[in-house]
Amino acid sequence: MKQCQPGNAVSLLENGEQYFPALEAAIDRAEREIFLQVYIFEDDKTGRRIAAALERAAARGVTVKVMVDGFGSRRFLMRLLPRLHEQGVQVLIYRREVRKLSLHRHRLRRLHRKVVVIDGREAFVGGINIIDDFTAGGPPHPRYDFAVHVRGPVLAPIVSSMNRLWRLVAWASFRRRQQLPLLAPAQAEPVGEICAAYVVRDNLRFRHAIEDAYLAAIDGAQREIVIASAYFFPGRRFRQALIDAAERGVSITLLLQGIADHPLQRYATRALYPYFLRQGIRLFEYHRSHLHAKVAVVDGRWATVGSSNIDAFSLLLAREANIFIDDSSFATQLRARLEHAICNGASELRASDWRRLSMLQRALNWVSYQLVRLAIGLAGYGDKH
């Protein structure tokens, strides 16, 4: 795996019920510096809980730097931001929302990462926003998602990336360079046995880094590919890579949303189902709760956990961050959790089921597919990626 660094300790965290207690405990351990980047920081029970932990850290003298997305965290800006400012927490807004109903590519370039670094010694990376696991009036089970807790050499690129983006957004916001040194440089000494790489997607040097890492793993797959993706609308390169893998005998399983929070995108994704089913790719829709995971396992050894979906928003527009892992023990653990989700919360879609769809349902899928493609085109991107 490109840029894989050995010597790391990586722990899998499933859903907010494992993630938020671990995150809060790490914040309470902080002694010098906290970096937090997140797409959604909600003003709900969970958001207020994490905000309180950040306030406690600031009160004992820890430098706390929080960056939220201006679109995803709109309610945070109105309610939690003043409270954090009063307690000495530094907050930056990534692309504050100004104009609505615009498909211009600059509006769609969001901060979609979910990364936290504590004292340069430990980090959390994944797909979990700071928001309640359970939604009012929603399913009785928690939102399904993953993150990882990491220590070791991979902290060096994580800390460097966090600090670089902080300085960039500070300059864009205040029109002055911030060259302040890190208070807590990365503690990158080996602490475990896992080989891991931190890969980001941005709009300059790493525009296709996450997609290329996925494609390299798919192209090298020999036995099995399992992907769970909340929003799945792959471009031509990604679709062809999956088809090529299926044609050489690789077993492919896709776990996708069954309960949609963005119905248009779900219907558009469903328009691709016959294409995959004809190639023998197995499709499962998760109905137990909202699927928000963005993870994959290949051949029981390669795995990824992060913020990047497999759609144009993540792969071509947003700032994303994934951990890629080359370790059979971790991959086996993640594979087992996905198998549990498939067996206990998902239903399989077969070609015979698809042929029984009404003409109205087929038309709805086709129209949604064309609308999503049009939106991608209006944002300035074609389907070739």
Side-chain angles (χ1 to χ4, degrees), residues 234-280:
R236 191 176 303 165
R237 290 175 65 205
F238 206 105
R239 295 198 304 267
Q240 190 58 52
L242 289 175
I243 297 306
D244 291 344
E247 289 178 346
R248 63 177 185 268
V250 177
S251 171
I252 302 176
T253 300
L254 303 178
L255 177 61
L256 308 175
Q257 275 193 348
I259 301 175
D261 48 3
H262 296 290
L264 178 66
Q265 186 155 358
R266 182 197 178 199
Y267 290 128
T269 297
R270 283 184 149 216
L272 296 173
Y273 284 6
Y275 176 77
F276 290 124
L277 289 169
R278 285 195 297 269
Q279 305 299 324

Side-chain angles (χ1 to χ4, degrees), residues 279-292:
Q279 305 299 324
I281 294 174
R282 299 184 71 187
L283 298 174
F284 292 85
E285 288 188 336
Y286 189 74
H287 293 279
R288 195 166 188 252
S289 66
H290 288 290
L291 172 72
H292 196 255

